[in-house]
Amino acid sequence: MNVTITPRDLAAELAAPRPPLLLDIRWRMTPPGGRAAGEKSGRAAYEAGHLPGAVFVDLEAELVGPPGPAGRHPLPDLEVFGAAMRRAGVRAQHPVVVYDGGAGDPPSPSGGWAAARAWWLLRWAGHPSVRVLDGGLSAWLAADGPVSTEVPGPAVGDFTPRPGGLPLLDADGAAELARRGVLLDARAGNRYRGEVEPIDRVAGHIPGALSAPTTENVGEDGRFLPPAQLAERFAALGATEAAEVGVYCGSGVSGAHEVLALAVAGVPAALYVGSWSEWSGDPSRPVATGAEPG
């Protein structure tokens, strides 16, 4: 099954008798120091214009749990998540397409991350047909796709989360995988090396992990590189279909985007949702710095 869809193919499917459900996952990651004056929240951006028929889903309220020892963006409570998905109209056997702002306006290094988190969470929770609009809203607009300010009232869905659809790692599992397989760190290289740490308690990376910034999986337009190019990039790191592969990031959002990029390349991978925010919050966990895995 394809994990992404182009604007052209999505437009064709929306015009068909059984169109997919659209979920708008626009998210403005709040940087240290707060959001810039005048910058719209995800919901405000949605209300200003979205794909016709799309339903807004709030990442911070519905796709993650409260921050704490398990990290800044841990798994949500399954009852909360399931109820949110049903309110949005998600049905167990009906296809879903998720999107966010993409490269968008304003340009954002986090373009595509929120949609990938929604894709990963729905697939992990057992939904069989979820795809990401490649390039997000910005790609849709570049293809002259229409937008609407009408807020739909979807019929209540029947989706019930059944975890296990995609592999999941905890902290101990990530540590073990770094020794026996391939563990990729999806954060920026300077955070991996421990040169800067703008958010978490300690700078550095999980010993044995390899640096693979997720921002390098897309072009300037925010769309994924061709599958063969992605496969070549990951193969150079030892991440192939034959290997056991895992991913982590800062808090389990950009890591989902790397898992999605690996899926585009045909490489299955597990996600360590707690990621560096959980790992670095535990003083007993070892930390490596520098360019080498350690």
Side-chain angles (χ1 to χ4, degrees):
M1 184 186 72
N2 291 333
V3 294
T4 63
I5 186 169
T6 67
R8 179 178 178 179
D9 287 345
L10 178 58
E13 290 194 15
L14 292 174
R18 189 172 181 261
L21 174 69
L22 296 177
L23 300 181
D24 185 310
I25 324 288
R26 271 180 283 179
W27 173 54
R28 291 291 186 262
M29 179 174 59
T30 304
R35 186 174 291 124
E39 184 179 356
K40 290 187 177 74
S41 67
R43 185 178 294 277
Y46 165 83
E47 291 173 351
H50 49 265
L51 271 67
V55 180
F56 180 73
V57 173
D58 189 328
L59 182 146
E60 295 283 356
E62 297 166 332
L63 302 184
V64 305
R72 281 182 282 111
H73 293 121
L75 291 172
D77 178 272
L78 286 180
E79 291 296 325
V80 172
F81 172 63
M85 294 299 97
R86 290 189 291 274
R87 283 195 304 270
V90 177
R91 285 174 280 157
Q93 299 302 318
H94 191 84
V96 175
V97 172
V98 297
Y99 73 91
D100 56 24
D105 181 18
S108 171
S110 59
W113 295 0
R117 171 71 177 222
W119 166 83
W120 183 88
L121 195 55
L122 278 164
R123 291 286 294 112
W124 169 78
H127 199 291
S129 179
V130 189
R131 290 167 292 170
V132 172
L133 175 59
D134 193 11
L137 179 64
S138 60
W140 177 259
L141 295 175
D144 297 322
V147 295
S148 171
T149 57
E150 182 179 350
V151 177
V156 175
D158 63 3
F159 177 69
T160 298
R162 292 181 173 85
L166 290 179
L168 175 67
L169 293 171
D170 60 13
D172 288 341
E176 292 169 6
L177 184 56
R179 292 190 293 267
R180 72 169 185 267
V182 179
L183 182 65
L184 301 180
D185 184 318
R187 298 173 301 159
N190 56 356
R191 290 184 71 189
Y192 170 88
R193 294 187 296 271
E195 296 165 2
V196 298
E197 183 43 67
I199 306 173
D200 294 312
R201 188 183 69 85
V202 176
H205 59 267
I206 296 174
L210 301 168
S211 180
T214 199
T215 52
E216 296 178 14
N217 295 324
V218 298
E220 291 184 1
D221 59 359
R223 298 183 67 167
F224 283 111
L225 300 175
Q229 192 171 341
L230 286 172
E232 183 178 5
R233 181 197 182 208
F234 291 128
L237 295 165
T240 65
E241 190 175 0
E244 187 177 1
V245 181
V247 178
Y248 75 96
C249 58
S251 64
V253 178
S254 67
H257 191 265
E258 183 117 304
V259 172
L260 178 59
L262 283 154
V264 170
V267 179
L271 178 64
Y272 172 25
V273 172
S275 286
W276 189 248
S277 60
E278 179 185 33
W279 184 278
S280 64
D282 182 349
S284 71
R285 298 278 177 191
V287 172
T289 57
E292 297 301 319

